[in-house]
């Protein structure tokens, strides 16, 4: 596997998209903790994870197409953030929400299959 960030292989680029999505989840959860950027530690964490997420995605785009990569990245961020919001902040997860989250997963799989 080519681990070069200058010219990542498609497999490595997809791993970077996933890592970027995970950083996006951390960014989103820390944004909730920032309380309007009034708390320095979660604010620094949110900014840091946000920047790392964007950087990883920009590197990944050297090896994968933008449309599917963005869909996967956004899906990981959306689903991961919603799951953590349910677990950490007890936000409701209704059957209708679960259905639509499942449709997001189906859409991401469909984009990958259509590549």
């Amino acid at each position: 596997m080519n681990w070069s960030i200058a010219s990542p292989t498609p497999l490595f680029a997809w791993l970077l998209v996933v890592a970027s999505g995970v950083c996006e989840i951390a960014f989103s959860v820390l944004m909730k903790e920032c309380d309007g950027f009034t708390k320095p530690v979660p604010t620094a964490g949110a900014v840091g994870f946000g920047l790392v997420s964007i950087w990883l995605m920009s590197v990944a785009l050297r090896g994968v197409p933008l449309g599917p990569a963005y869909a996967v990245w956004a899906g990981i961020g959306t689903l991961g953030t919603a799951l953590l919001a349910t677990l950490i902040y007890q936000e409701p997860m209704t059957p209708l929400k679960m259905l639509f989250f499942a449709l997001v997963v189906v859409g991401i799989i469909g984009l990958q299959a259509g590549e």
Side-chain angles (χ1 to χ4, degrees):
M1 177 183 300
N2 178 8
W3 295 96
S4 167
I5 62 172
S7 180
T9 62
L11 177 60
F12 182 50
W14 281 115
L15 291 173
L16 292 173
V17 170
V18 171
S20 177
V22 170
C23 288
E24 186 68 16
I25 296 167
F27 163 77
S28 298
V29 171
L30 286 167
M31 285 290 291
K32 172 86 171 166
E33 296 297 318
C34 286
D35 195 26
F37 296 115
T38 60
K39 296 179 179 175
V41 172
T43 296
V47 170
F49 276 107
L51 289 172
V52 170
S53 177
I54 292 166
W55 177 74
L56 289 171
M57 185 63 154
S58 71
V59 172
L61 291 174
R62 294 175 180 160
V64 292
L66 174 61
Y70 184 77
V72 169
W73 174 79
I76 290 169
T78 300
L79 295 170
T81 300
L83 179 61
L84 286 180
T86 300
L87 295 172
I88 297 170
Y89 303 112
Q90 290 76 46
E91 292 182 9
M93 181 60 70
T94 65
L96 192 57
K97 280 185 181 180
M98 285 189 265
L99 169 67
F100 287 114
F101 283 131
L103 289 174
V104 170
V105 172
V106 169
I108 290 170
I109 292 169
L111 285 169
Q112 290 302 322
E115 214 176 83

